[in-house]
Amino acid sequence: MATQPTPTRDDFAAMLDDMFGGADSFEGRVVHGTVTAIENDMAVIDVGLKSEGRVPLREFAAPGQKAELNVGDEVEVYVDRVENMHGEAMLSRDRARREAAWDKLELEFSKTARVEGVIFGRVKGGFTVDLSGAVAFLPGSQVDIRPVRDVTPRRDIPQPFQILKMDRKGGNIVVSRRAVLEETRAEQRSGLIQSLAEGQIIDG
C-alpha cells in the first residue's frame, strides 16, 4: 500500500489559498500562529503562509516586563502584508491586540459599560489611556470632579473609565474618569438617603 507524502509548506499554503481565496486575503486579518524560533529580540512566527514572519519580543511583553514567550507557543498576530521585500510575512502582535481591544470596547460601549484602562502619557489638552491595547484620549476636564493639575498619582494604575465616544475607522476613543466618579458618588448618596430613617440624627 502506497504511503501518502508528507505535506510541504507550499502544499499547506496552497490548501489555505483554496480555503480563503488566496494568500492576499490574509492581509488585514488577525490569525493564529506558532512561535518557531526566538532570535535575539525577535520571535519567528509561522502563520501558515509560504514565509514566516518576525515580530519584536517587546510586542509580547507587558509594560516594564520581559516577554514570556517560548518556541511552540501559539499566538495571535495581525497580518500587515503577506510578503515584504525580504520575502517575509509582515506580522504585528501590537496590531492584533488593538483589533481585539476594539472588538471588546465596541461591545462595552454599546452597553454603556465601564472599561478598565491605565493613564500612561500626556498630550495637548489631556492624557493618553491604554485600554488593553487600544489608546484613548482622556480630556483634562474629564480626569476628576475637581480640576487636577498633577495626575502623577493616578498614572500607571488600572482604573475604570466611561467611553464618551469612539470611531473605529478614525481610530479615536474619548474616555472620562470624571463620569465614573460622578456616577459612583450619586450611587453612594442615593444609598445613604435610603438607609436613613425619618428623624434619625447623623454626624456631619
Side-chain angles (χ1 to χ4, degrees):
M1 181 177 180
T3 59
Q4 295 292 328
T6 302
T8 64
R9 177 181 291 275
D10 288 343
D11 292 334
F12 187 58
M15 180 180 69
L16 290 175
D17 285 349
D18 292 338
M19 292 174 60
F20 297 106
D24 289 344
S25 64
F26 265 62
E27 294 186 357
R29 293 179 53 203
V30 176
V31 299
H32 288 276
T34 303
V35 179
T36 60
I38 296 178
E39 301 175 355
N40 298 320
D41 59 348
M42 304 291 286
V44 181
I45 300 175
D46 179 8
V47 295
L49 296 171
K50 292 183 179 181
S51 302
E52 296 172 323
R54 298 171 184 269
V55 179
L57 286 175
R58 58 176 173 75
E59 294 193 14
F60 294 92
Q65 300 181 19
K66 290 185 177 181
E68 297 182 358
L69 198 66
N70 299 297
V71 173
D73 286 352
E74 292 189 357
V75 296
E76 286 189 337
V77 291
Y78 179 89
V79 182
D80 189 36
R81 291 184 61 183
V82 169
E83 191 174 69
N84 61 15
M85 61 184 297
H86 301 294
E88 296 180 337
M90 291 182 63
L91 310 175
S92 171
R93 172 57 184 163
D94 280 347
R95 186 68 184 272
R97 288 180 64 240
R98 285 198 297 270
E99 292 297 316
W102 272 95
D103 289 342
K104 181 179 179 180
L105 292 172
E106 285 182 331
L107 179 61
E108 299 301 317
F109 183 51
S110 67
K111 298 188 296 184
T112 65
R114 298 174 183 178
V115 297
E116 186 174 271
V118 176
I119 300 174
F120 70 92
R122 187 183 189 100
V123 293
K124 184 178 180 180
F127 306 89
T128 48
V129 179
D130 179 9
L131 301 176
S132 300
V135 178
F137 173 62
L138 172 65
S141 62
Q142 296 297 321
V143 175
D144 208 320
I145 295 174
R146 298 182 179 87
V148 175
R149 292 184 178 181
D150 183 15
V151 299
T152 303
R154 300 173 179 82
R155 291 185 57 158
D156 303 319
I157 301 173
Q159 52 195 311
F161 294 88
Q162 190 75 44
I163 299 176
L164 300 181
K165 59 181 179 179
M166 62 188 302
D167 174 16
R168 187 163 187 165
K169 187 175 182 180
N172 301 317
I173 307 175
V174 180
V175 296
S176 172
R177 180 174 175 271
R178 175 179 177 174
V180 174
L181 297 176
E182 290 178 337
E183 184 178 343
T184 300
R185 188 167 68 171
E187 291 173 351
Q188 292 174 342
R189 182 179 300 169
S190 176
L192 177 61
I193 292 174
Q194 292 178 6
S195 65
L196 292 178
E198 185 177 352
Q200 183 177 350
I201 300 176
I202 62 172
D203 296 328

